[in-house]
Amino acid sequence: MSLGSAFQTLCGALFEDSMTLVCSAVVPESLTKKYRNRMISPRDPYSIYQLDSINSSYLLVFHFEDMPDCRTIQLTDMHNLNCTSHTGEEKNLYFGYSHRMCYNYTLDLTTELKHHCGARGYEENMQSGYYYTNHDPNPDIRSDVSGGSLLGSPTLVICLIVSLLLIALLHWKTSRL
């Protein structure tokens, strides 16, 4: 089972309903030292969302500083989420190369991040989805690029020229022997 499908299976409820913003902040250095989570660094932005239908389920979105602009979100698949801003504007956010983890038990890091950003009076977390984003502003460019687009790339042209020069050099050396 791939990590992506494991996240979708374990955190399936996060794909079924919308989530509302709880709070946002930046990760304090004390928590990165305490938990030694290699996916986050001090001062990384994070936002916490609570699942509307299950108050003990949370999604923590790391590394994307514009997430606080989303009042509510809805995961549509592993890479896309719909964002509704505080003004009611809707937009799709695409995170093509993100890393996701799901925890179906109480996580102290979630609790401490909630307290750090000022969330008080919320239900204890029984499920935490951690979404480490890598925002791609162009969702039309996907990781499953075909060979046709690679043929026109400047890198391939340079490699071809270098290869031809090496062949010519080897041919010249063998003809001198």
Side-chain angles (χ1 to χ4, degrees):
M1 178 184 292
S2 73
L3 290 176
S5 63
F7 178 83
Q8 200 161 13
T9 300
L10 294 172
C11 276
L14 297 178
F15 292 89
E16 297 170 6
D17 199 4
S18 62
M19 293 168 262
T20 302
L21 179 66
V22 172
C23 60
S24 295
V26 294
V27 177
E29 187 173 348
S30 61
L31 292 183
T32 59
K33 287 180 180 178
K34 180 177 181 179
Y35 290 101
R36 298 181 185 163
N37 182 329
R38 295 182 197 176
M39 299 296 290
I40 55 175
S41 299
R43 313 270 327 136
D44 277 346
Y46 72 93
S47 296
I48 301 176
Y49 291 85
Q50 183 181 44
L51 186 61
D52 292 338
S53 59
I54 304 172
N55 291 339
S56 61
S57 293
Y58 296 90
L59 179 68
L60 287 80
V61 182
F62 295 93
H63 305 171
F64 188 58
E65 60 190 28
D66 292 337
M67 280 309 295
D69 295 341
C70 298
R71 181 179 41 87
T72 61
I73 60 170
Q74 169 75 51
L75 288 172
T76 56
D77 60 36
M78 293 299 293
H79 303 287
N80 293 284
L81 63 85
N82 289 328
C83 161
T84 304
S85 71
H86 298 281
T87 61
E89 178 187 348
E90 292 186 18
K91 62 181 172 181
N92 181 68
L93 298 174
Y94 175 74
F95 302 107
Y97 303 102
S98 302
H99 183 73
R100 296 156 297 274
M101 300 294 295
C102 184
Y103 305 95
N104 287 321
Y105 48 85
T106 301
L107 211 56
D108 290 339
L109 179 56
T110 299
T111 301
E112 291 195 47
L113 287 170
K114 278 189 340 188
H115 286 143
H116 174 72
C117 66
R120 304 284 188 267
Y122 284 89
E123 196 164 323
E124 186 61 41
N125 69 86
M126 299 305 292
Q127 179 181 60
S128 296
Y130 280 35
Y131 203 114
Y132 305 98
T133 67
N134 185 355
H135 183 64
D136 183 356
N138 187 353
D140 294 330
I141 300 173
R142 306 282 186 195
S143 61
D144 55 349
V145 177
S146 69
S149 63
L150 183 61
L151 289 175
S153 74
T155 304
L156 185 61
V157 172
I158 291 170
C159 289
L160 182 60
I161 292 170
V162 168
S163 298
L164 290 173
L165 286 174
L166 286 173
I167 290 171
L169 179 66
L170 287 173
H171 183 66
W172 179 75
K173 280 194 152 227
T174 56
S175 69
R176 291 187 42 133
L177 292 177

